[in-house]
Amino acid sequence: MEKYKIRKSREYNKKIQKYLPGGEHYNFRAFAQERPIHFVKGAGSRLWDMDGNEYLDLYCKYGAMILGHNHPRYNEALKKRIDGVTCVNKSDIELDILEMINRFMPAVEMMRFGLSGTEIVQNAIRLARAYTGKNRFIRFTGHYHGSADNVVGGVANDLLFPVPKEHPGEPRGTEGRAKGALETQSFLLQWNNPGLLENIIHKYHDDIAAILTEPICLNGGGIMPRPGYLKKMRDLCDQYNIALIFDEVITGFRVGLSGAQGYFGIEPDITTLGKALASGLPVSMIGGKRKVMELYDERRVMHAGTFNGYALGLEGVKASLDILSDDGGKRYDEMAGFAQKFAEMISVAAKKAGLPMVVQGCRGVPIFHCCERPEDTIEAFDESTFMKDSVIADCLLAYGIMVAPVSRMYMNVTINDDDVAFFKSRVDDAMKDAAEIINELSE
Ligand code: PMP
């Protein structure tokens, strides 16, 4: 099969670069866009670009589009809401979703809404500090919690006092950070290392307000927590008056209706949600134990935002949760079944092309890596693995298969056997091209 031509998209992208830095709305230092594709239409798992090419969308806007594009029931609900009231401080839709989220996630006894994951994680850190009266939070290498100064990037070289510091060339580093934002606010530890966590907490618990973690590390390679690791976090938090924050911005309503906390049976003190919560509309949530969340009610901690709780976004939440919870959440099992098929297809194609391949991750997000065996810390991956993964992702894209950064293949509820056939008919060509490039690079 021929690689897609994207002449119109390229020309268009050149024009916008005069006004839009880099021609994109999002940038890490690590990757530049080889193929600036501009889309005009979406339906289910498919997208069409300006040149008329059709894509299988396993990118799902960083995992947000869990209902796929243009889901009829979702669109219908939003249209009704648009004809009613879209943007007010309080509307008639709150009770439904408050009760629903609390039913799915009992640890979310109370909650508030915002717009982005970045913003809601900052609110979680503030709340944890207010609740415990302490300052630092523990975060982990390979995890992502938004683009704010205090949570992004840094490298901690001193194992005994692991404060993150700016590191030249680090992909998540940035100029323009406020002085001290890295060094004075957090400790940065290797994840999935219970001994290290315990040592640091024993030593510095007087200064530690929170553990901030993705319960499944989906930004750092698709790594499951080792058995007992999240429980260890819970126990240490209980022992030392530390707030446990599960950042479920990806995992919430993606691994299941009860998120990763339900999947593992561990209750955090504070939960953050975003992405799949409203299936493409900007809505995020901070929720948690009543004793923590009541700090808002007592006006001791501030939480504000012009658009917080806007009715259209909350309608998006309601429609999403209604659809996702149909038939007791059967769709999650279906998505997991399809995830398995995509994992198998990419493994077979890699084998044919002579490349090693493993697929890890979790239900709803299989993540491929061009290496010999799965890893359970980000540090264990060979440095070249992520580069090879991104070569494969670029080659897939040239044949109409779009995966998300860090080689994530996000499932959505509309995914079906046609999508499997689409993938199957293109993956061999893509993998052959990738093998050529990877072999050249390795010579
Ligand atoms: N937390 C996690 C776990 C995320 O994956 C992300 C986004 N990738 C964020 C927070 C930040 O969310 P947003 O991009 O909506 O600010």
Side-chain angles (χ1 to χ4, degrees):
M1 176 181 167
E2 290 257 306
K3 281 191 214 174
Y4 281 178
K5 297 204 172 44
I6 53 163
R7 192 179 52 80
K8 282 188 188 158
S9 269
R10 280 196 200 285
E11 275 170 17
Y12 184 82
N13 191 263
K14 234 181 237 147
K15 282 187 198 152
I16 63 172
Q17 286 189 27
K18 181 172 173 195
Y19 309 102
L20 183 70
E24 56 190 337
H25 302 273
Y26 192 111
N27 70 288
F28 280 118
R29 263 198 244 161
F31 52 85
Q33 264 195 329
E34 291 286 319
R35 288 187 156 253
I37 302 165
H38 291 262
F39 294 102
V40 295
K41 199 176 88 177
S45 310
R46 304 297 172 90
L47 283 169
W48 286 266
D49 70 11
M50 295 180 84
D51 293 85
N53 300 307
E54 182 176 353
Y55 294 81
L56 173 62
D57 183 12
L58 302 178
Y59 196 132
C60 278
K61 191 63 173 159
Y62 303 95
M65 305 298 286
I66 196 163
L67 301 183
H69 300 276
N70 275 314
H71 193 290
R73 232 172 104 190
Y74 179 80
N75 282 8
E76 205 46 51
L78 293 190
K79 279 176 195 160
K80 248 200 203 148
R81 176 56 59 179
I82 287 171
D83 289 337
V85 64
T86 56
C87 205
V88 283
N89 277 348
K90 298 183 184 69
S91 67
D92 60 346
I93 195 172
E94 283 130 357
L95 187 60
D96 279 350
I97 60 174
L98 295 168
E99 285 178 344
M100 235 195 288
I101 294 175
N102 169 254
R103 192 165 74 245
F104 296 139
M105 294 181 176
V108 177
E109 292 171 353
M110 299 182 92
M111 67 205 91
R112 285 272 186 95
F113 293 91
L115 295 180
S116 72
T118 299
E119 152 210 341
I120 220 71
V121 167
Q122 291 302 311
N123 280 284
I125 293 168
R126 177 188 281 168
L127 202 54
R129 283 178 171 142
Y131 181 69
T132 62
K134 298 188 273 184
N135 177 51
R136 279 187 196 272
F137 57 94
I138 288 181
R139 64 191 185 95
F140 299 96
T141 48
H143 291 223
Y144 182 72
H145 303 289
S147 57
D149 278 0
N150 58 350
V151 290
V152 77
V155 171
N157 288 322
D158 182 352
L159 274 183
L160 297 175
F161 188 59
V163 297
K165 297 194 169 139
E166 288 292 354
H167 191 76
E170 209 251 317
R172 287 176 179 177
T174 180
E175 291 179 25
R177 203 193 296 269
K179 273 210 166 55
L182 280 178
E183 291 88 339
T184 62
Q185 295 199 30
S186 67
F187 288 125
L188 180 60
L189 309 186
Q190 182 189 49
W191 196 65
N192 249 351
N193 184 338
L196 177 64
L197 182 69
E198 197 159 12
N199 283 345
I200 294 300
I201 289 184
H202 280 325
K203 231 165 152 180
Y204 300 112
H205 59 88
D206 282 348
D207 195 23
I208 297 173
I211 297 178
L212 172 62
T213 187
E214 292 181 52
I216 303 170
C217 180
L218 291 172
N219 283 299
I223 301 168
M224 280 288 191
R226 286 185 179 145
Y229 184 54
L230 297 179
K231 173 76 168 50
K232 166 70 76 185
M233 286 185 179
R234 181 65 275 170
D235 291 346
L236 286 166
C237 286
D238 289 341
Q239 187 178 350
Y240 289 114
N241 180 35
I242 294 168
L244 179 59
I245 306 172
F246 276 3
D247 181 354
E248 296 227 43
V249 164
I250 298 184
T251 50
F253 297 110
R254 176 151 288 282
V255 295
L257 292 169
S258 59
Q261 53 196 270
Y263 188 81
F264 295 113
I266 303 289
E267 293 204 335
D269 299 299
I270 301 172
T271 298
T272 55
L273 299 175
K275 297 195 194 267
L277 178 62
S279 305
L281 280 180
V283 181
S284 57
M285 186 223 75
I286 176 169
K289 294 292 168 69
R290 187 170 301 277
K291 61 187 183 199
V292 182
M293 294 299 292
E294 269 175 354
L295 295 179
Y296 286 146
D297 196 20
E298 292 162 13
R299 302 275 192 278
R300 285 171 52 196
V301 180
M302 183 194 165
H303 168 243
T306 299
F307 293 105
N308 287 0
Y310 70 115
L312 184 65
L314 297 191
E315 188 71 49
V317 174
K318 180 167 179 336
S320 305
L321 300 190
D322 279 345
I323 295 166
L324 290 167
S325 61
D326 258 0
D327 300 327
K330 208 176 90 206
R331 285 191 166 82
Y332 287 100
D333 293 333
E334 289 166 8
M335 284 192 280
F338 281 109
Q340 190 62 36
K341 288 187 186 174
F342 284 98
E344 277 159 25
M345 286 188 288
I346 200 152
S347 301
V348 169
K351 198 165 176 209
K352 275 197 227 162
L355 291 174
M357 180 62 63
V358 298
V359 182
Q360 46 193 93
C362 65
R363 273 159 73 84
V365 202
I367 301 181
F368 64 79
H369 295 302
C370 187
C371 61
E372 301 289 346
R373 54 165 210 275
E375 301 293 356
D376 71 356
T377 67
I378 190 167
E379 290 82 359
F381 284 104
D382 189 294
E383 279 213 345
S384 69
T385 298
F386 295 120
M387 185 272 293
K388 292 177 194 164
D389 295 346
S390 72
V391 169
I392 295 171
D394 286 348
C395 292
L396 288 168
L397 187 58
Y399 293 95
I401 298 166
M402 193 161 72
V403 304
V406 206
S407 47
R408 285 171 284 195
M409 301 192 285
Y410 282 105
M411 302 292 109
N412 73 78
V413 299
T414 74
I415 209 147
N416 58 38
D417 287 330
D418 282 349
D419 299 319
V420 171
F422 185 99
F423 188 95
K424 202 169 190 173
S425 66
R426 290 147 195 258
V427 67
D428 284 339
D429 286 335
M431 203 60 81
K432 218 168 115 224
D433 288 1
E436 269 172 34
I437 299 170
I438 288 169
N439 291 336
E440 251 172 52
L441 288 172
S442 326
E443 270 166 17

